[in-house]
Amino acid sequence: MSTMGGGEKHIGAVMEYLSKNNDVTILTDKEFDKELFKSRLNIDLSKTTVIVKKTNNNWEVSKISYNYDLFINSTYQSTAIGCAKKNISFLFFPINLHSRVNVKYKIFFRHFVENFLFLGYKFISPIHPLESYNSKLGNWVDSDMFIFLNHNLGVNKIKLTYINPSDTKLEKRIISIKVGQNKVDYKIDNDVLIINIPKVMTKRDSLLVIRMHPFKHEKLSKFKNVSNSGIFLTDVHLNYNKKSYIILRKFLKKIFFVLNILNYIYSKYEAANILNFINYYDLFIANSSYTQYYIKKFLAVDSKVLFPPIDTDIFYSSDHKKNYIISVGRFFFGSHNKKHLEMIATFKKMYDADKNLFKDWEYHICGGVEKSKIHKMYFEKVKEAAIGYPIFIHENIKLKDLIILYSESKIFWHAAGFNENEDVSPERFEHFGITTVEAMSAGCVPIVINKAGQKQIIENHKNGILWNDINELSSNTILLVQNETERLKLSKEAIKRSKMFSREHFYNRTKILIQQLYN
Protein backbone atom coordinates (compact mmCIF):
# COMPACT_ATOMS: atom_id res chain seq x y z
CA MET A 1 0.00 0.00 0.00
CA SER A 2 2.89 2.35 0.75
CA THR A 3 3.99 2.58 -2.91
CA MET A 4 0.61 4.16 -3.82
CA GLY A 5 0.63 3.16 -7.47
CA GLY A 6 -2.08 1.90 -9.82
CA GLY A 7 -2.34 -1.51 -8.18
CA GLU A 8 -2.74 0.06 -4.75
CA LYS A 9 -5.47 2.33 -6.06
CA HIS A 10 -7.26 -0.63 -7.63
CA ILE A 11 -7.39 -2.81 -4.52
CA GLY A 12 -7.83 0.28 -2.34
CA ALA A 13 -11.06 1.10 -4.19
CA VAL A 14 -12.33 -2.43 -3.50
CA MET A 15 -11.60 -1.99 0.21
CA GLU A 16 -13.20 1.46 0.24
CA TYR A 17 -16.34 0.01 -1.34
CA LEU A 18 -16.51 -2.96 1.05
CA SER A 19 -15.83 -0.82 4.13
CA LYS A 20 -19.09 1.06 3.62
CA ASN A 21 -21.07 -1.88 4.99
CA ASN A 22 -18.46 -4.26 6.39
CA ASP A 23 -15.56 -4.36 8.83
CA VAL A 24 -12.47 -4.36 6.64
CA THR A 25 -8.94 -5.11 7.81
CA ILE A 26 -5.88 -4.34 5.67
CA LEU A 27 -2.90 -6.62 6.21
CA THR A 28 0.30 -4.95 5.00
CA ASP A 29 4.03 -5.30 5.57
CA LYS A 30 4.67 -1.54 5.77
CA GLU A 31 3.03 1.41 7.49
CA PHE A 32 1.21 3.83 5.24
CA ASP A 33 -0.55 7.15 5.79
CA LYS A 34 -4.28 6.95 5.03
CA GLU A 35 -4.52 10.71 4.54
CA LEU A 36 -1.61 10.72 2.12
CA PHE A 37 -3.19 7.74 0.36
CA LYS A 38 -6.40 9.75 -0.05
CA SER A 39 -4.63 12.90 -1.24
CA ARG A 40 -2.63 10.95 -3.85
CA LEU A 41 -5.20 8.41 -5.04
CA ASN A 42 -8.60 9.76 -3.97
CA ILE A 43 -9.29 6.56 -2.01
CA ASP A 44 -10.80 6.89 1.48
CA LEU A 45 -9.69 4.06 3.78
CA SER A 46 -10.66 5.84 7.02
CA LYS A 47 -13.18 3.11 7.93
CA THR A 48 -10.65 0.29 7.61
CA THR A 49 -8.38 -1.23 10.25
CA VAL A 50 -4.71 -1.69 9.38
CA ILE A 51 -2.51 -4.55 10.64
CA VAL A 52 1.20 -4.22 9.89
CA LYS A 53 3.01 -7.55 9.86
CA LYS A 54 6.50 -7.50 8.42
CA THR A 55 6.71 -11.00 7.01
CA ASN A 56 7.08 -12.71 3.65
CA ASN A 57 5.91 -15.98 5.18
CA ASN A 58 2.89 -17.29 3.29
CA TRP A 59 1.90 -19.44 6.25
CA GLU A 60 1.55 -16.40 8.51
CA VAL A 61 -0.76 -14.78 5.97
CA SER A 62 -2.83 -17.96 5.61
CA LYS A 63 -3.16 -18.30 9.37
CA ILE A 64 -4.44 -14.72 9.72
CA SER A 65 -6.90 -15.17 6.85
CA TYR A 66 -8.64 -18.01 8.72
CA ASN A 67 -10.26 -15.50 11.07
CA TYR A 68 -12.22 -13.70 8.34
CA ASP A 69 -15.34 -14.25 6.25
CA LEU A 70 -13.62 -13.00 3.09
CA PHE A 71 -9.92 -12.87 2.26
CA ILE A 72 -8.71 -10.91 -0.78
CA ASN A 73 -5.08 -11.57 -1.61
CA SER A 74 -3.78 -8.70 -3.73
CA THR A 75 -0.06 -9.02 -3.01
CA TYR A 76 1.80 -9.09 -6.31
CA GLN A 77 2.39 -12.72 -7.39
CA SER A 78 1.66 -14.04 -3.89
CA THR A 79 1.27 -17.80 -3.42
CA ALA A 80 -0.29 -17.62 0.06
CA ILE A 81 -3.25 -19.96 0.49
CA GLY A 82 -6.55 -18.43 1.51
CA CYS A 83 -8.16 -20.00 4.58
CA ALA A 84 -11.16 -17.70 5.04
CA LYS A 85 -14.76 -18.74 4.39
CA LYS A 86 -14.42 -17.25 0.90
CA ASN A 87 -11.14 -16.37 -0.83
CA ILE A 88 -10.35 -14.12 -3.77
CA SER A 89 -7.01 -13.92 -5.55
CA PHE A 90 -6.58 -10.46 -7.06
CA LEU A 91 -3.99 -10.99 -9.77
CA PHE A 92 -2.30 -7.93 -11.22
CA PHE A 93 -0.19 -10.42 -13.16
CA PRO A 94 0.40 -14.15 -12.61
CA ILE A 95 3.71 -15.85 -11.95
CA ASN A 96 5.13 -17.15 -15.20
CA LEU A 97 5.69 -20.90 -14.90
CA HIS A 98 5.21 -21.55 -18.57
CA SER A 99 8.90 -22.20 -19.22
CA ARG A 100 9.18 -24.61 -16.29
CA VAL A 101 5.91 -26.51 -16.35
CA ASN A 102 4.03 -27.08 -19.58
CA VAL A 103 0.55 -25.69 -19.11
CA LYS A 104 -1.19 -28.77 -20.51
CA TYR A 105 0.13 -30.88 -17.63
CA LYS A 106 -0.86 -28.50 -14.84
CA ILE A 107 -4.45 -29.56 -14.29
CA PHE A 108 -3.58 -33.26 -14.43
CA PHE A 109 -0.65 -32.80 -12.03
CA ARG A 110 -2.76 -30.78 -9.61
CA HIS A 111 -5.51 -33.40 -9.38
CA PHE A 112 -3.08 -36.30 -9.25
CA VAL A 113 -1.15 -34.90 -6.31
CA GLU A 114 -4.12 -33.66 -4.33
CA ASN A 115 -6.46 -36.59 -4.92
CA PHE A 116 -4.16 -39.57 -5.23
CA LEU A 117 -0.62 -39.12 -3.98
CA PHE A 118 -1.59 -37.64 -0.62
CA LEU A 119 -4.96 -39.33 -0.49
CA GLY A 120 -7.04 -36.41 0.54
CA TYR A 121 -5.04 -34.30 2.98
CA LYS A 122 -2.55 -31.49 2.62
CA PHE A 123 -0.71 -29.59 5.34
CA ILE A 124 -0.94 -25.83 4.90
CA SER A 125 0.97 -25.16 8.10
CA PRO A 126 4.71 -25.90 8.18
CA ILE A 127 5.79 -29.51 8.13
CA HIS A 128 9.50 -29.62 8.77
CA PRO A 129 12.00 -31.94 7.03
CA LEU A 130 11.89 -35.67 7.68
CA GLU A 131 14.17 -36.73 10.54
CA SER A 132 14.49 -39.20 13.40
CA TYR A 133 13.43 -38.46 16.97
CA ASN A 134 13.35 -41.05 19.78
CA SER A 135 14.14 -43.70 17.18
CA LYS A 136 11.04 -42.77 15.19
CA LEU A 137 10.93 -41.31 11.69
CA GLY A 138 8.66 -38.32 11.23
CA ASN A 139 8.30 -34.55 11.09
CA TRP A 140 8.02 -31.70 13.53
CA VAL A 141 4.81 -29.76 12.91
CA ASP A 142 3.67 -26.32 13.95
CA SER A 143 1.66 -25.74 17.13
CA ASP A 144 -1.05 -24.39 14.83
CA MET A 145 -1.81 -27.17 12.37
CA PHE A 146 -3.88 -26.34 9.29
CA ILE A 147 -4.77 -29.42 7.23
CA PHE A 148 -7.02 -29.33 4.18
CA LEU A 149 -9.04 -32.54 3.73
CA ASN A 150 -10.35 -33.52 0.32
CA HIS A 151 -14.08 -33.31 0.87
CA ASN A 152 -14.76 -35.37 -2.27
CA LEU A 153 -13.23 -38.50 -0.75
CA GLY A 154 -15.59 -38.81 2.20
CA VAL A 155 -13.04 -38.61 5.03
CA ASN A 156 -14.79 -39.38 8.34
CA LYS A 157 -11.86 -39.70 10.72
CA ILE A 158 -8.19 -38.70 10.91
CA LYS A 159 -5.63 -40.30 13.23
CA LEU A 160 -2.37 -38.55 14.01
CA THR A 161 0.31 -40.69 15.63
CA TYR A 162 2.73 -38.45 17.52
CA ILE A 163 5.46 -37.99 20.08
CA ASN A 164 4.81 -35.23 22.58
CA PRO A 165 8.16 -33.70 23.65
CA SER A 166 6.59 -31.69 26.47
CA ASP A 167 6.09 -32.79 30.05
CA THR A 168 2.57 -31.39 29.74
CA LYS A 169 0.16 -33.96 28.37
CA LEU A 170 -1.28 -33.28 24.95
CA GLU A 171 -4.78 -33.12 26.42
CA LYS A 172 -3.79 -29.98 28.31
CA ARG A 173 -1.77 -28.48 25.47
CA ILE A 174 -4.65 -28.61 22.99
CA ILE A 175 -6.53 -25.30 22.81
CA SER A 176 -9.11 -26.23 20.18
CA ILE A 177 -9.79 -28.55 17.27
CA LYS A 178 -12.16 -27.35 14.57
CA VAL A 179 -13.29 -28.32 11.11
CA GLY A 180 -14.12 -25.07 9.39
CA GLN A 181 -15.38 -22.94 12.27
CA ASN A 182 -17.04 -25.77 14.19
CA LYS A 183 -15.53 -27.65 17.11
CA VAL A 184 -15.34 -31.42 16.63
CA ASP A 185 -15.05 -34.43 18.91
CA TYR A 186 -11.65 -36.00 19.47
CA LYS A 187 -9.89 -38.37 21.82
CA ILE A 188 -6.34 -39.41 22.59
CA ASP A 189 -5.47 -43.10 22.74
CA ASN A 190 -1.88 -44.29 23.27
CA ASP A 191 -0.21 -41.33 21.57
CA VAL A 192 -2.74 -41.25 18.76
CA LEU A 193 -4.92 -38.16 18.33
CA ILE A 194 -8.22 -39.37 16.83
CA ILE A 195 -10.47 -36.69 15.33
CA ASN A 196 -13.98 -37.28 14.08
CA ILE A 197 -14.68 -35.45 10.82
CA PRO A 198 -18.29 -34.45 10.14
CA LYS A 199 -19.75 -34.59 6.65
CA VAL A 200 -18.49 -31.52 4.81
CA MET A 201 -19.69 -29.85 1.63
CA THR A 202 -17.19 -27.11 0.74
CA LYS A 203 -13.45 -26.54 0.70
CA ARG A 204 -13.68 -24.06 3.57
CA ASP A 205 -15.61 -26.55 5.71
CA SER A 206 -12.92 -29.17 5.11
CA LEU A 207 -10.12 -27.18 6.75
CA LEU A 208 -9.01 -28.96 9.91
CA VAL A 209 -7.46 -26.57 12.44
CA ILE A 210 -5.63 -27.93 15.49
CA ARG A 211 -4.33 -25.32 17.91
CA MET A 212 -2.17 -26.13 20.91
CA HIS A 213 0.22 -24.40 23.26
CA PRO A 214 3.67 -24.44 21.59
CA PHE A 215 6.61 -26.31 23.02
CA LYS A 216 9.77 -24.26 22.68
CA HIS A 217 13.04 -26.11 22.24
CA GLU A 218 16.43 -25.58 20.65
CA LYS A 219 18.15 -28.94 20.60
CA LEU A 220 15.51 -31.55 19.81
CA SER A 221 15.86 -31.04 16.05
CA LYS A 222 18.94 -30.83 13.88
CA PHE A 223 17.22 -28.09 11.88
CA LYS A 224 17.76 -24.55 13.17
CA ASN A 225 14.32 -23.21 12.28
CA VAL A 226 12.48 -25.86 14.34
CA SER A 227 12.23 -24.27 17.78
CA ASN A 228 8.56 -23.56 18.41
CA SER A 229 6.76 -26.76 17.60
CA GLY A 230 3.58 -28.61 18.38
CA ILE A 231 4.33 -32.32 18.19
CA PHE A 232 6.56 -34.79 16.36
CA LEU A 233 4.27 -36.47 13.83
CA THR A 234 5.07 -40.07 12.86
CA ASP A 235 1.94 -41.11 10.95
CA VAL A 236 -1.24 -39.75 9.43
CA HIS A 237 -4.12 -42.15 8.86
CA LEU A 238 -7.47 -41.27 7.31
CA ASN A 239 -10.69 -43.28 7.44
CA TYR A 240 -12.80 -43.04 4.32
CA ASN A 241 -16.41 -43.79 3.56
CA LYS A 242 -15.26 -45.23 0.23
CA LYS A 243 -13.86 -48.77 0.56
CA SER A 244 -11.49 -48.39 -2.39
CA TYR A 245 -9.58 -45.68 -0.55
CA ILE A 246 -9.49 -47.77 2.62
CA ILE A 247 -7.75 -50.63 0.79
CA LEU A 248 -5.33 -48.29 -0.95
CA ARG A 249 -4.47 -46.54 2.29
CA LYS A 250 -3.68 -49.80 4.07
CA PHE A 251 -1.14 -50.57 1.37
CA LEU A 252 0.43 -47.13 1.38
CA LYS A 253 0.61 -46.99 5.17
CA LYS A 254 3.41 -49.54 4.93
CA ILE A 255 5.47 -47.06 2.96
CA PHE A 256 4.47 -43.95 4.90
CA PHE A 257 8.05 -42.70 4.98
CA VAL A 258 8.04 -42.65 1.15
CA LEU A 259 4.90 -40.51 1.17
CA ASN A 260 6.55 -38.23 3.71
CA ILE A 261 9.57 -37.75 1.47
CA LEU A 262 7.38 -37.13 -1.59
CA ASN A 263 5.26 -34.71 0.41
CA TYR A 264 8.32 -32.72 1.43
CA ILE A 265 9.72 -32.68 -2.13
CA TYR A 266 6.33 -31.59 -3.43
CA SER A 267 6.16 -28.75 -0.90
CA LYS A 268 9.55 -27.49 -2.05
CA TYR A 269 8.72 -27.70 -5.75
CA GLU A 270 7.84 -24.19 -6.92
CA ALA A 271 5.25 -25.22 -9.48
CA ALA A 272 3.50 -27.42 -6.94
CA ASN A 273 3.29 -24.53 -4.50
CA ILE A 274 1.66 -22.41 -7.18
CA LEU A 275 -0.81 -25.18 -7.86
CA ASN A 276 -1.62 -25.34 -4.14
CA PHE A 277 -2.30 -21.62 -4.26
CA ILE A 278 -4.73 -22.16 -7.13
CA ASN A 279 -6.68 -24.89 -5.39
CA TYR A 280 -7.81 -22.83 -2.43
CA TYR A 281 -9.32 -19.72 -4.00
CA ASP A 282 -12.95 -19.34 -4.94
CA LEU A 283 -12.50 -16.50 -7.42
CA PHE A 284 -9.64 -15.07 -9.47
CA ILE A 285 -9.85 -11.43 -10.52
CA ALA A 286 -7.79 -9.93 -13.34
CA ASN A 287 -7.24 -6.21 -13.79
CA SER A 288 -7.59 -6.42 -17.57
CA SER A 289 -8.25 -8.76 -20.46
CA TYR A 290 -4.49 -8.81 -21.06
CA THR A 291 -3.86 -10.15 -17.57
CA GLN A 292 -6.81 -12.54 -17.89
CA TYR A 293 -5.21 -14.08 -20.98
CA TYR A 294 -1.95 -14.78 -19.12
CA ILE A 295 -3.71 -16.13 -16.03
CA LYS A 296 -5.29 -18.75 -18.26
CA LYS A 297 -2.03 -19.38 -20.10
CA PHE A 298 0.25 -19.64 -17.06
CA LEU A 299 -2.03 -21.02 -14.34
CA ALA A 300 -4.74 -22.81 -16.32
CA VAL A 301 -7.59 -21.21 -14.38
CA ASP A 302 -10.44 -18.93 -15.39
CA SER A 303 -10.76 -15.41 -14.01
CA LYS A 304 -13.14 -12.46 -14.07
CA VAL A 305 -12.06 -8.99 -15.22
CA LEU A 306 -12.48 -6.01 -12.91
CA PHE A 307 -11.07 -2.91 -14.58
CA PRO A 308 -9.47 -0.36 -12.23
CA PRO A 309 -11.69 2.56 -11.17
CA ILE A 310 -10.99 5.87 -12.87
CA ASP A 311 -12.14 9.09 -11.22
CA THR A 312 -13.54 10.49 -14.42
CA ASP A 313 -15.79 12.86 -12.48
CA ILE A 314 -12.90 14.73 -10.84
CA PHE A 315 -10.88 15.28 -14.01
CA TYR A 316 -11.84 18.00 -16.47
CA SER A 317 -10.58 19.52 -19.68
CA SER A 318 -9.60 23.18 -19.48
CA ASP A 319 -10.99 25.56 -22.08
CA HIS A 320 -7.52 27.06 -22.25
CA LYS A 321 -5.21 24.14 -22.70
CA LYS A 322 -1.50 24.77 -22.92
CA ASN A 323 1.09 23.22 -25.17
CA TYR A 324 1.90 20.46 -22.70
CA ILE A 325 2.72 16.81 -23.23
CA ILE A 326 2.25 14.83 -20.02
CA SER A 327 3.30 11.38 -18.79
CA VAL A 328 2.27 9.90 -15.46
CA GLY A 329 3.83 6.84 -13.84
CA ARG A 330 5.96 5.88 -10.85
CA PHE A 331 9.73 6.27 -11.08
CA PHE A 332 11.24 2.83 -10.53
CA PHE A 333 13.87 0.58 -12.05
CA GLY A 334 13.04 -2.84 -13.54
CA SER A 335 9.72 -4.70 -13.74
CA HIS A 336 7.24 -2.75 -15.95
CA ASN A 337 9.39 0.38 -15.93
CA LYS A 338 7.60 3.37 -17.45
CA LYS A 339 10.43 4.16 -19.91
CA HIS A 340 10.84 7.79 -18.81
CA LEU A 341 14.36 7.97 -20.24
CA GLU A 342 13.24 6.80 -23.66
CA MET A 343 10.38 9.32 -23.75
CA ILE A 344 12.68 12.14 -22.64
CA ALA A 345 15.12 11.22 -25.42
CA THR A 346 12.26 11.29 -27.94
CA PHE A 347 11.07 14.72 -26.85
CA LYS A 348 14.61 16.11 -26.95
CA LYS A 349 15.12 14.75 -30.47
CA MET A 350 11.86 16.32 -31.71
CA TYR A 351 12.69 19.60 -29.98
CA ASP A 352 16.17 19.75 -31.49
CA ALA A 353 14.89 18.81 -34.97
CA ASP A 354 12.35 21.65 -35.12
CA LYS A 355 12.80 24.25 -32.39
CA ASN A 356 10.39 26.59 -34.15
CA LEU A 357 7.55 24.05 -34.03
CA PHE A 358 8.20 23.08 -30.40
CA LYS A 359 9.41 26.44 -29.11
CA ASP A 360 6.50 26.87 -26.68
CA TRP A 361 5.89 23.18 -25.92
CA GLU A 362 6.73 21.58 -22.57
CA TYR A 363 6.98 17.98 -21.42
CA HIS A 364 5.74 17.25 -17.88
CA ILE A 365 6.53 13.92 -16.18
CA CYS A 366 4.72 13.04 -12.95
CA GLY A 367 5.01 10.12 -10.56
CA GLY A 368 5.83 8.80 -7.14
CA VAL A 369 9.42 7.96 -6.26
CA GLU A 370 10.27 4.60 -4.72
CA LYS A 371 12.39 4.80 -1.56
CA SER A 372 14.99 2.11 -2.20
CA LYS A 373 18.45 3.10 -3.46
CA ILE A 374 18.22 1.57 -6.93
CA HIS A 375 14.97 3.42 -7.66
CA LYS A 376 16.36 6.71 -6.35
CA MET A 377 19.38 6.30 -8.63
CA TYR A 378 17.01 5.78 -11.57
CA PHE A 379 15.08 8.92 -10.62
CA GLU A 380 18.30 10.94 -10.54
CA LYS A 381 19.09 9.74 -14.07
CA VAL A 382 15.67 10.93 -15.21
CA LYS A 383 16.23 14.38 -13.73
CA GLU A 384 19.69 14.59 -15.24
CA ALA A 385 18.37 13.64 -18.70
CA ALA A 386 15.85 16.52 -18.57
CA ILE A 387 18.42 19.26 -17.95
CA GLY A 388 18.59 21.95 -20.62
CA TYR A 389 15.17 21.29 -22.11
CA PRO A 390 11.60 22.39 -21.29
CA ILE A 391 11.08 19.13 -19.43
CA PHE A 392 9.64 19.30 -15.92
CA ILE A 393 9.71 16.50 -13.34
CA HIS A 394 6.92 16.41 -10.72
CA GLU A 395 7.88 13.89 -8.05
CA ASN A 396 5.24 12.64 -5.59
CA ILE A 397 2.71 15.05 -7.05
CA LYS A 398 -0.50 15.51 -5.10
CA LEU A 399 -3.77 14.61 -6.75
CA LYS A 400 -5.12 18.18 -6.76
CA ASP A 401 -2.02 19.39 -8.61
CA LEU A 402 -2.15 16.45 -11.02
CA ILE A 403 -5.79 17.25 -11.86
CA ILE A 404 -4.79 20.79 -12.87
CA LEU A 405 -1.83 19.57 -14.93
CA TYR A 406 -3.97 16.98 -16.71
CA SER A 407 -6.59 19.62 -17.50
CA GLU A 408 -4.00 21.95 -19.04
CA SER A 409 -2.23 19.27 -21.12
CA LYS A 410 -3.03 18.47 -24.73
CA ILE A 411 -1.20 15.18 -25.29
CA PHE A 412 -0.47 12.14 -23.11
CA TRP A 413 2.47 9.79 -23.68
CA HIS A 414 2.94 6.26 -22.39
CA ALA A 415 5.71 3.81 -23.33
CA ALA A 416 5.79 0.98 -20.75
CA GLY A 417 6.82 -2.17 -22.62
CA PHE A 418 8.89 -0.39 -25.27
CA ASN A 419 11.83 -2.54 -26.42
CA GLU A 420 10.52 -5.49 -24.37
CA ASN A 421 9.58 -8.94 -25.65
CA GLU A 422 5.99 -9.81 -24.79
CA ASP A 423 6.61 -13.54 -25.33
CA VAL A 424 9.52 -13.53 -22.89
CA SER A 425 8.50 -10.90 -20.32
CA PRO A 426 4.79 -10.07 -20.60
CA GLU A 427 4.79 -8.68 -17.05
CA ARG A 428 6.92 -5.72 -18.20
CA PHE A 429 4.03 -4.21 -20.15
CA GLU A 430 1.20 -2.05 -18.89
CA HIS A 431 -1.41 -4.54 -17.76
CA PHE A 432 -4.19 -1.97 -18.03
CA GLY A 433 -3.33 1.75 -18.09
CA ILE A 434 -4.99 3.76 -15.33
CA THR A 435 -3.15 6.98 -16.12
CA THR A 436 -4.07 6.66 -19.78
CA VAL A 437 -7.78 6.75 -18.92
CA GLU A 438 -7.25 9.56 -16.39
CA ALA A 439 -5.58 11.64 -19.09
CA MET A 440 -8.37 10.87 -21.56
CA SER A 441 -11.02 11.98 -19.05
CA ALA A 442 -9.19 15.33 -18.88
CA GLY A 443 -9.25 15.73 -22.64
CA CYS A 444 -5.64 14.73 -23.27
CA VAL A 445 -5.18 12.80 -26.50
CA PRO A 446 -3.32 9.58 -25.65
CA ILE A 447 -0.42 8.61 -27.90
CA VAL A 448 0.56 5.31 -26.33
CA ILE A 449 2.39 2.12 -27.19
CA ASN A 450 0.40 -0.44 -29.17
CA LYS A 451 0.91 -3.18 -26.60
CA ALA A 452 -0.88 -5.02 -23.79
CA GLY A 453 -3.57 -3.22 -21.80
CA GLN A 454 -3.38 -0.02 -23.82
CA LYS A 455 -4.93 -1.78 -26.82
CA GLN A 456 -8.17 -2.47 -24.97
CA ILE A 457 -8.52 1.19 -23.98
CA ILE A 458 -7.66 2.98 -27.23
CA GLU A 459 -9.51 2.70 -30.51
CA ASN A 460 -6.77 3.80 -32.87
CA HIS A 461 -7.30 7.23 -34.46
CA LYS A 462 -10.81 7.38 -33.00
CA ASN A 463 -10.13 8.34 -29.37
CA GLY A 464 -6.35 8.16 -29.30
CA ILE A 465 -3.33 6.95 -31.21
CA LEU A 466 -1.35 3.70 -30.86
CA TRP A 467 2.31 3.59 -31.88
CA ASN A 468 4.65 0.68 -32.62
CA ASP A 469 8.04 2.41 -32.62
CA ILE A 470 9.64 5.70 -31.62
CA ASN A 471 9.30 7.11 -35.13
CA GLU A 472 5.53 6.62 -34.94
CA LEU A 473 5.44 8.25 -31.49
CA SER A 474 7.25 11.27 -32.93
CA SER A 475 5.32 11.52 -36.20
CA ASN A 476 1.90 11.20 -34.53
CA THR A 477 2.84 13.79 -31.92
CA ILE A 478 3.91 16.19 -34.69
CA LEU A 479 0.63 15.47 -36.49
CA LEU A 480 -1.40 16.69 -33.49
CA VAL A 481 0.91 19.63 -32.82
CA GLN A 482 0.32 20.81 -36.39
CA ASN A 483 -3.37 19.86 -36.67
CA GLU A 484 -5.48 21.39 -33.91
CA THR A 485 -8.73 20.26 -35.54
CA GLU A 486 -7.67 16.61 -35.40
CA ARG A 487 -6.49 17.00 -31.81
CA LEU A 488 -9.82 18.50 -30.73
CA LYS A 489 -11.74 15.69 -32.44
CA LEU A 490 -9.69 12.98 -30.72
CA SER A 491 -9.86 14.84 -27.39
CA LYS A 492 -13.67 14.87 -27.46
CA GLU A 493 -13.83 11.15 -28.25
CA ALA A 494 -11.22 10.37 -25.56
CA ILE A 495 -13.40 11.99 -22.90
CA LYS A 496 -16.39 9.95 -24.07
CA ARG A 497 -14.40 6.69 -24.07
CA SER A 498 -13.04 7.29 -20.55
CA LYS A 499 -16.55 7.13 -19.06
CA MET A 500 -16.58 3.38 -19.74
CA PHE A 501 -14.05 2.99 -16.92
CA SER A 502 -15.67 5.27 -14.33
CA ARG A 503 -15.81 4.55 -10.62
CA GLU A 504 -19.56 4.00 -10.94
CA HIS A 505 -18.96 1.19 -13.43
CA PHE A 506 -16.30 -0.21 -11.10
CA TYR A 507 -18.62 -0.29 -8.07
CA ASN A 508 -21.37 -1.98 -10.08
CA ARG A 509 -18.95 -4.62 -11.35
CA THR A 510 -17.51 -5.20 -7.86
CA LYS A 511 -21.01 -5.69 -6.48
CA ILE A 512 -21.83 -8.24 -9.18
CA LEU A 513 -18.63 -10.23 -8.58
CA ILE A 514 -19.19 -10.37 -4.81
CA GLN A 515 -22.81 -11.44 -5.29
CA GLN A 516 -21.75 -14.18 -7.70
CA LEU A 517 -19.20 -15.39 -5.16
CA TYR A 518 -21.87 -15.95 -2.53
CA ASN A 519 -24.59 -17.31 -4.81
Side-chain angles (χ1 to χ4, degrees), residues 92-302:
F92 296 105
F93 204 79
I95 293 177
N96 184 356
L97 294 176
H98 185 59
S99 60
R100 283 161 279 175
V101 180
N102 194 306
V103 69
K104 70 181 180 180
Y105 298 120
K106 288 178 182 178
I107 296 176
F108 168 78
F109 182 61
R110 184 188 316 157
H111 286 292
F112 173 76
V113 171
E114 295 299 323
N115 294 335
F116 177 77
L117 184 57
F118 303 116
L119 292 178
Y121 72 90
K122 179 64 186 172
F123 274 83
I124 305 304
S125 53
I127 178 166
H128 297 286
L130 188 69
E131 62 176 303
S132 178
Y133 176 67
N134 281 5
S135 301
K136 295 280 188 178
L137 199 63
N139 309 78
W140 290 103
V141 293
D142 201 83
S143 56
D144 284 327
M145 278 189 282
F146 280 42
I147 307 171
F148 266 109
L149 305 173
N150 190 321
H151 58 285
N152 294 318
L153 301 185
V155 177
N156 57 49
K157 189 173 291 185
I158 183 169
K159 299 177 182 179
L160 306 176
T161 304
Y162 66 89
I163 299 174
N164 179 17
S166 173
D167 293 332
T168 304
K169 290 185 176 181
L170 190 62
E171 293 93 323
K172 294 185 177 180
R173 289 184 60 199
I174 290 175
I175 299 171
S176 66
I177 299 180
K178 295 181 179 180
V179 173
Q181 290 289 348
N182 301 313
K183 290 185 178 181
V184 293
D185 295 329
Y186 67 91
K187 66 178 181 178
I188 296 174
D189 184 16
N190 294 326
D191 294 332
V192 179
L193 176 59
I194 304 170
I195 304 167
N196 295 319
I197 307 299
K199 184 178 180 180
V200 294
M201 299 301 292
T202 67
K203 285 182 180 179
R204 180 59 175 78
D205 292 331
S206 64
L207 176 61
L208 172 63
V209 178
I210 305 170
R211 283 183 160 152
M212 63 182 72
H213 296 291
F215 176 75
K216 296 183 179 181
H217 60 83
E218 299 294 339
K219 298 181 180 179
L220 293 181
S221 173
K222 62 184 179 181
F223 297 99
K224 293 180 181 180
N225 62 338
V226 183
S227 60
N228 192 25
S229 298
I231 54 177
F232 186 79
L233 192 62
T234 61
D235 189 21
V236 178
H237 179 82
L238 276 68
N239 284 3
Y240 303 96
N241 293 324
K242 298 181 180 179
K243 291 184 179 180
S244 58
Y245 285 106
I246 297 173
I247 296 170
L248 186 57
R249 184 61 194 180
K250 284 181 179 179
F251 168 73
L252 291 177
K253 183 180 178 182
K254 297 178 181 180
I255 54 169
F256 176 73
F257 70 98
V258 175
L259 288 181
N260 245 328
I261 293 171
L262 290 172
N263 195 349
Y264 180 65
I265 293 172
Y266 174 72
S267 69
K268 294 299 181 184
Y269 180 43
E270 182 185 15
N273 284 327
I274 299 301
L275 295 175
N276 269 330
F277 145 76
I278 291 168
N279 287 340
Y280 303 107
Y281 281 87
D282 304 286
L283 173 65
F284 294 87
I285 292 179
N287 58 352
S288 67
S289 301
Y290 176 75
T291 300
Q292 183 184 48
Y293 169 79
Y294 281 101
I295 290 173
K296 185 68 172 180
K297 182 176 181 179
F298 293 159
L299 302 181
V301 295
D302 294 321

Side-chain angles (χ1 to χ4, degrees), residues 62 65-66 68 71 81-85 87 124 146 148 204 207:
S62 298
S65 74
Y66 173 74
Y68 293 90
F71 172 58
I81 289 173
C83 294
K85 291 181 180 178
N87 301 279
I124 305 304
F146 280 42
F148 266 109
R204 180 59 175 78
L207 176 61

Side-chain angles (χ1 to χ4, degrees), residues 76 91-94 96 285-298 303-308 336 416-418 420-433 449-457:
Y76 185 64
L91 291 168
F92 296 105
F93 204 79
N96 184 356
I285 292 179
N287 58 352
S288 67
S289 301
Y290 176 75
T291 300
Q292 183 184 48
Y293 169 79
Y294 281 101
I295 290 173
K296 185 68 172 180
K297 182 176 181 179
F298 293 159
S303 59
K304 301 288 182 67
V305 174
L306 177 63
F307 291 123
H336 57 298
F418 176 65
E420 302 288 352
N421 188 326
E422 190 171 329
D423 293 327
V424 176
S425 303
E427 71 281 358
R428 295 189 177 185
F429 293 78
E430 198 64 49
H431 309 148
F432 176 68
I449 191 168
N450 187 22
K451 298 286 185 181
Q454 305 285 7
K455 293 193 295 184
Q456 68 190 72
I457 298 171

